[in-house]
């Protein structure tokens, strides 16, 4: 069961839907590495698929690549210290297309690669050789025809140089709205939205 933010009229009118984003603050050591580079309060994200009685999360992880697991498992305490769901402003048709694209990548390996905005990729003509969690969602919606206007971050580290999409980059999208969260994260861009709704 997903608990919507109390007092948030927008959230109550827009329940979770396929294609929405599920963020979590992971409990594994790599989560600390991600959060050291980011300020979102979360280290991982997946795409909500399925239906209310059987929500699943499609996501990319190092040990399994692009995979699918029940929402209850994705946000279980042993895997998530915190979690939140962000609704994406999109039509039902676009949601179907984004989910279909993400599902078509099930089984692909986990791979972190720098983003080159100057290169337009035709995913049908050039099959992917791997992806990571945030880029999977970004590419799925882009393939459906919706640019989330996510913010990529320039990283200059020995093993990671270039522009990468961190969780905060997806949260910064003007097309997203926080609708469910177990704990309010300081600095979250939607905290002000919630406060305005409650006034």
């Amino acid at each position: 069961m997903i608990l919507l933010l109390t007092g948030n009229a927008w959230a109550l009118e827009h329940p979770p839907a396929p294609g929405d984003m599920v963020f979590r603050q992971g409990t594994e050591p790599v989560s600390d590495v991600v959060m050291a580079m980011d300020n979102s309060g979360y280290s991982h994200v997946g795409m909500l698929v399925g239906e209310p009685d059987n929500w699943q999360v499609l996501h990319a992880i190092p040990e399994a690549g692009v995979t699918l697991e029940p929402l209850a498992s994705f946000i279980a305490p042993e895997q998530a210290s915190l979690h939140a769901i962000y609704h994406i402003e999109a039509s039902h048709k676009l949601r179907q297309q984004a989910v279909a694209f993400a599902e078509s990548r099930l089984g692909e390996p986990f791979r972190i690669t720098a983003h080159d905005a100057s290169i337009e990729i035709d995913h049908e003509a050039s099959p992917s050789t791997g992806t990571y969690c945030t880029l999977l969602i970004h590419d799925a919606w882009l393939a459906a025809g919706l640019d989330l206007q996510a913010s990529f971050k320039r990283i200059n580290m020995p093993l990671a140089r270039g522009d990468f999409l961190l969780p905060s980059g997806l949260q910064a999208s003007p097309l997203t709205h926080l609708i469910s969260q177990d704990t309010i994260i300081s600095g979250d861009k939607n905290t002000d939205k919630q406060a305005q709704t409650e006034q």
Side-chain angles (χ1 to χ4, degrees):
M1 182 176 68
I2 297 173
L3 298 177
L4 300 182
L5 289 171
T6 57
N8 189 325
W10 197 96
L12 295 175
E13 293 174 2
H14 299 80
D20 284 347
M21 300 183 294
V22 187
F23 291 85
R24 77 180 180 198
Q25 183 185 106
T27 56
E28 63 275 13
V30 69
S31 300
D32 296 331
V33 176
V34 175
M35 290 188 292
M37 297 185 291
D38 199 19
N39 62 356
S40 68
Y42 299 103
S43 59
H44 187 56
V45 64
M47 175 181 282
L48 197 64
V49 301
E51 53 190 23
D53 290 336
N54 186 32
W55 284 127
Q56 305 279 311
V57 178
L58 197 155
H59 60 129
I61 52 177
E63 59 269 27
V66 181
T67 187
L68 191 66
E69 72 174 293
L71 173 63
S73 172
F74 185 85
I75 63 175
E78 56 269 22
Q79 294 203 89
S81 300
L82 303 170
H83 68 271
I85 296 178
Y86 279 70
H87 188 77
I88 295 175
E89 295 180 24
S91 67
H92 177 69
K93 181 179 180 180
L94 288 182
R95 288 181 178 279
Q96 288 182 313
Q97 294 173 341
V99 169
F101 177 88
E103 290 179 334
S104 74
R105 300 185 69 175
L106 280 167
E108 287 189 12
F110 179 89
R111 184 184 179 206
I112 298 178
T113 55
H115 175 71
D116 187 345
S118 66
I119 300 176
E120 184 175 348
I121 299 176
D122 184 340
H123 291 285
E124 292 185 2
S126 304
S128 171
T129 56
T131 189
Y132 57 100
C133 67
T134 48
L135 193 64
L136 173 65
I137 292 176
H138 171 273
D139 288 350
W141 279 103
L142 197 60
L146 183 65
D147 184 354
L148 294 179
Q149 303 171 52
S151 299
F152 285 76
K153 182 176 181 178
R154 176 61 56 89
I155 295 177
N156 188 16
M157 298 175 64
L159 297 179
R161 298 179 186 275
D163 296 329
F164 298 88
L165 184 56
L166 298 173
S168 63
L170 285 176
Q171 289 176 313
S173 167
L175 302 178
T176 66
H177 298 267
L178 175 66
I179 59 173
S180 176
Q181 187 177 54
D182 56 356
T183 302
I184 296 297
I185 302 296
S186 176
D188 192 303
K189 80 177 182 75
N190 281 293
T191 301
D192 291 338
K193 290 183 182 179
Q194 180 192 6
Q196 293 170 5
T197 303
E198 293 177 340
Q199 292 176 353

